[in-house]
Amino acid sequence: MKIKISHHIALSFAPAFAYIDNRYMTTDASILGIETSCDETAAAVVRGGERVLSNVVSSQIAVHQPYGGVVPELASREHLRAIVPVVRQALHEAGETYESVHAIAVTQGPGLAGALLVGISYAKALAFALAKPVLTVNHLEGHIHAVLLEQRQTANFEMRFPVLALVVSGGHTHLFLAQERGSGWIYENIGRTRDDAAGEAYDKVAKLLGLGYPGGPIIDVLARHGDPQGVRFVASQIKHGNRGVPREKQTAHDFSFSGIKTAVLRYVELNGMRADIAERQKQLAGMARAKAEDVLRLCDRRTLDLVASFQRAVVSDLVRKTLEAAREREARTLFVTGGVAANSELRERFELESAQEGLPVYFPSRKLSTDNAAMIAAAAFPKYLAQHFAEPEFSAEASLILK
Ligand code: KG4
Ligand code: ZN
């Protein structure tokens, strides 16, 4: 979907580009990144593509918690409220000013159209007022650059290509095969989810079991207390079929996570767990800020086993299919990134199994796994060096493709 921002803004802001010339190009440039694609309002300043001078994330979790998922209208409203103070704080923490940064990078998509528009409109307004260039970034490339950014900080500049990147979050489960091209990377999408994203499955299962929102972090903790063999899911419940999916929409390494969610639902019904879940929800709703220990106390063995078995099934599927794709496409480096990459079991399994295959695997730190703007500023840096500045009339693209 393409949404047009008022032509008035686009046209009046065009002359700003006239001021951009080579005197402003520097390999030590500070880029202000802005990210508003989902439920985090984030701003960061990154210098030279790798030094994170500030990284401010304002989370909307408390706003969406009562609904068990992100409500798009509420997300836009919260971004509007937070964007100015968040950017101001990012500049302040970085010791920079609106005038001192060299360029402004903003997420163009994919994401919620209304949420993206808040960041884009603000980036455009700043660029116009300050006569700075704007760089647009694909959110998924941002997640990939979160890994690259931190590897560069440890002086690891020796990435071997092709790189296979699994981007696994609340909105995406994508496999990209990346190659170097000029100062940037190009991508081939070789796998994606047919239905729910892995993080979405975590969030839906957590909601179903009355564990709160978001589901990933709490299931990560609870799963350690359950038996991952406790509940047996049949392979057909977690496998995808090609039925109903047009050939041109299929990729070689597709995922599917809606079956496992339905299997959890069926288990809940068959085992009469509804009353316990309702009671847990009631108790948690009465707590101001429930901690993981509070939720753990409210879970019986059967629930913990179910949670651990769900996580085992999701993690095994992600690891197996990713390594299969890596073998088939002869990937020489593996990146695992996005919110779900914060998961302990996923990290352990990838580390173990990739090592067995002699494939180096890299993750972002937990802070940079979930949505942030440092990754957006970092991903914009090669574009800045190549002077790939945005056209003034660019707009939000809810389904932007990475290539
Ligand atoms: O990347 P992200 O912040 O936003 C999107 O681009 O979607 O990812 C958020 C998702 C949520 O679904 C959340 O439940 C999941 O990442 N998540 C986790 C963990 N931490 C966050 N999933 C599994 N284990 C975790 N530790
Ligand atoms: Zn994300």
Side-chain angles (χ1 to χ4, degrees):
M1 176 170 31
K2 190 162 180 167
I3 292 185
K4 275 255 171 265
I5 296 190
S6 140
H7 242 84
H8 178 70
I9 299 178
L11 290 175
S12 54
F13 135 98
F17 287 90
Y19 295 105
I20 300 156
D21 68 32
N22 287 338
R23 283 172 302 160
Y24 294 92
M25 298 305 299
T26 158
T27 52
D28 206 26
S30 295
I31 296 185
L32 168 67
I34 296 177
E35 152 65 41
T36 62
S37 69
C38 191
D39 61 343
E40 325 273 5
T41 316
V45 180
V46 177
R47 183 171 293 164
E50 61 186 73
R51 274 183 60 206
V52 181
L53 302 185
S54 63
N55 184 23
V56 179
V57 180
S58 165
S59 172
Q60 303 178 1
I61 285 177
V63 174
H64 302 289
Q65 195 135 36
Y67 307 94
V70 179
V71 183
E73 289 78 4
L74 294 183
S76 310
R77 197 182 69 192
E78 292 305 309
H79 285 309
L80 270 175
R81 234 200 276 269
I83 187 82
V84 175
V86 164
V87 168
R88 205 177 281 154
Q89 194 183 335
L91 289 170
H92 174 73
E93 286 182 16
E96 297 267 356
T97 61
Y98 290 110
E99 289 76 23
S100 69
V101 292
H102 293 78
I104 298 154
V106 65
T107 306
Q108 186 180 14
L112 303 169
L116 288 162
L117 277 176
V118 177
I120 290 175
S121 310
Y122 190 56
K124 282 193 178 194
L126 277 183
F128 176 62
L130 302 167
K132 308 270 179 194
V134 178
L135 299 143
T136 53
V137 174
N138 183 305
H139 181 80
L140 302 177
E141 187 171 30
H143 275 302
I144 292 171
H145 270 264
V147 183
L148 204 53
L149 163 72
E150 291 187 314
Q151 287 310 311
R152 292 213 169 112
Q153 287 167 355
T154 63
N156 178 8
F157 298 102
E158 294 282 314
M159 277 309 147
R160 302 208 308 162
F161 288 87
V163 172
L164 180 65
L166 170 67
V167 184
V168 63
S169 69
H172 314 277
T173 309
H174 277 74
L175 277 174
F176 291 104
L177 197 69
Q179 301 277 5
E180 233 172 348
R181 177 75 56 87
S183 62
W185 289 17
I186 52 162
Y187 304 89
E188 182 190 351
N189 180 211
I190 62 164
R192 70 175 94 89
T193 181
R194 295 268 170 86
D195 37 59
D196 292 350
E200 193 179 352
Y202 268 92
D203 295 336
K204 285 180 175 169
V205 163
K207 184 177 181 184
L208 174 68
L209 297 177
L211 304 172
Y213 173 84
I218 185 67
I219 289 182
D220 194 349
V221 174
L222 297 180
R224 286 172 220 157
H225 299 271
D227 174 7
Q229 319 277 357
V231 178
R232 294 253 170 219
F233 296 112
V234 233
S236 64
Q237 289 173 314
I238 46 178
K239 258 188 10 213
H240 65 77
N242 283 339
R243 245 180 317 141
V245 184
R247 187 169 285 278
E248 67 278 8
K249 290 244 164 96
Q250 295 172 20
T251 58
H253 304 280
D254 279 358
F255 299 94
S256 165
F257 295 103
S258 75
I260 181 86
K261 172 198 65 189
T262 313
V264 172
L265 173 65
R266 206 169 304 131
Y267 186 88
V268 164
E269 310 266 299
L270 284 175
N271 290 276
M273 294 166 75
R274 284 273 180 215
D276 285 356
I277 291 171
E279 180 57 27
R280 180 161 51 241
Q281 269 165 334
K282 204 171 100 198
Q283 299 242 4
L284 288 174
M287 295 182 196
R289 262 186 175 268
K291 296 201 191 63
E293 308 90 76
D294 300 320
V295 186
L296 179 60
R297 253 187 309 106
L298 297 170
C299 290
D300 59 1
R301 171 115 327 264
R302 200 170 43 179
T303 305
L304 294 174
D305 288 352
L306 179 59
V307 162
S309 305
F310 160 77
Q311 174 159 290
R312 176 60 55 88
V314 172
V315 166
S316 300
D317 195 60
L318 286 169
V319 173
R320 186 178 60 77
K321 289 198 182 129
T322 303
L323 292 181
E324 216 168 74
R327 273 192 298 273
E328 212 167 282
R329 301 300 298 263
E330 298 181 353
R332 300 178 75 192
T333 307
L334 185 58
F335 279 17
V336 182
T337 186
V340 182
N343 187 268
S344 331
E345 189 174 337
L346 187 78
R347 284 178 180 240
E348 281 161 25
R349 284 282 297 281
F350 263 119
E351 260 158 13
L352 189 78
E353 298 194 23
S354 303
Q356 284 165 356
E357 309 228 351
L359 185 66
V361 58
Y362 302 108
F363 308 89
S365 59
R366 283 194 165 73
K367 170 113 179 114
L368 289 195
S369 293
T370 46
D371 287 351
N372 65 86
M375 68 186 197
I376 301 303
F381 191 65
K383 300 180 206 300
Y384 173 81
L385 292 180
Q387 302 197 36
H388 283 163
F389 302 129
E391 295 295 332
E393 64 275 9
F394 84 90
S395 193
E397 299 234 11
S399 315
L400 187 64
I401 286 169
L402 179 61
K403 51 187 186 209

